Amino acid sequence: MADKQQNVPIEPHAIELVTALAKQAAAPEILILDTVGLGDDLPEKIPVAFDRVTSSFKSLKGLVQEFRDVKARRKGTARAETLESFIALIDRHKDAQSALFGKCAWPEPKLTAVLNYNAANADVRPADHRIIYAFPLTEEFKAWVGANAKPMEQEVFAAFLEEHAAELAAPTDGEVSEYERLFNEKMATPSDVVALSRYLEVFVAARAKQGIRLQTGERTVEFAEEHQNAKGEAITVPGIFMLSVPAFVDGEVVRIPARLRYRVAGGKVMWFYQLYRWEFFLREQVESDLETVAKATGLPAFEGAPEQ
């Protein structure tokens, strides 16, 4: 007769022993690695965990940082809507290594304050706590730039000048001398431009006959009202006028010269203006604001952008 298989009972202490050995085999092991020869800027020894299950090394830095008894550092980006608020926020958070950066050219001029920036011969910092002032444009400035060099019918142009009469500026003696010589055109006062807009409203239904350039640098355009036996009326058109418009919300005004133009074709007049070097004058204002912030906060300022 064949021997029957015997079920040998396993002692409880043996089960506990096997379980303990299995846990020990799977448990990670903390190892101290020597970093000699691995490059610069490393401590002499670093702790790592060896995972026996995956046979891989894992860093303990993140785990240790969770238990470090220090306050969490500030990070993120705040956005100021005015230059005054931008300065106030910088003063609230700056330190000895903070720095200013300015993108001064159009489009999208912007000032950036990096509050936890790196200084020379100092510890590396993340540079991720920032304040941005993106120069929000005023509606008035957007209107003048948006219609720049775009022909308008006489009625539309007259209404545009009336609506934006508040942004017209009296030229200084220096501006009159410079721009009349540069363009060989007559500089207009605000009242000259407003008067022109009113004349255009009167002659909106009239047929234009011709345009003439005068020796004074002014131009004239003659209108004939057919229901009055083709009686001709001439109005004087100034060649240049000055704008004084705040480009940025709650910012300083920017002075920009504009050349006034018209075209007569088939009895119809199309009007337009050309802003002269307005991007240059805008850049000058942004550069001035960057300098203002630097003086107010005592921080170094650079034209350009910080590292991402």
Side-chain angles (χ1 to χ4, degrees), residues 118-283:
N118 302 309
N121 302 320
D123 293 336
V124 176
R125 306 171 79 190
D128 57 357
H129 187 201
R130 304 183 177 198
I131 304 171
I132 289 176
Y133 174 56
F135 290 96
L137 298 174
T138 63
E139 293 302 318
E140 297 87 349
F141 186 79
K142 287 191 285 188
W144 282 104
V145 171
N148 183 38
K150 294 182 178 179
M152 289 179 259
E153 293 187 357
Q154 186 158 298
E155 184 177 10
V156 175
F157 186 67
F160 182 88
L161 292 180
E162 285 277 4
E163 182 179 356
H164 294 279
E167 288 102 57
L168 302 175
T172 65
D173 291 341
E175 290 169 341
V176 171
S177 175
E178 178 181 359
Y179 296 123
E180 285 191 348
R181 176 185 54 81
L182 179 63
F183 298 119
N184 192 28
E185 300 273 12
K186 189 71 173 179
M187 177 72 80
T189 65
S191 59
D192 293 333
V193 180
V194 172
L196 172 67
S197 68
R198 292 172 181 169
Y199 292 148
L200 297 183
E201 289 176 351
V202 172
F203 290 106
V204 69
R207 179 178 179 274
K209 293 170 58 178
Q210 60 182 328
I212 301 174
R213 184 181 181 90
L214 306 177
Q215 291 182 349
T216 59
E218 297 171 309
R219 296 172 184 265
T220 64
V221 58
E222 290 189 30
F223 291 90
E225 297 188 85
E226 296 178 358
H227 62 280
Q228 294 182 358
N229 300 320
K231 179 182 177 182
E233 297 286 351
I235 60 173
T236 301
V237 181
I240 324 163
F241 60 93
M242 289 298 302
L243 295 179
S244 180
V245 54
F248 311 119
V249 175
D250 290 339
E252 299 294 328
V253 296
V254 180
R255 295 183 68 85
I256 305 172
R259 304 181 68 186
L260 185 55
R261 292 287 182 267
Y262 66 86
R263 298 286 185 269
V264 179
K268 187 176 182 180
V269 187
M270 298 299 291
W271 297 85
F272 62 98
Y273 62 87
Q274 296 171 312
L275 299 180
Y276 176 65
R277 299 182 67 191
W278 65 270
E279 297 97 333
F280 169 79
F281 295 109
L282 199 70
R283 180 188 177 94

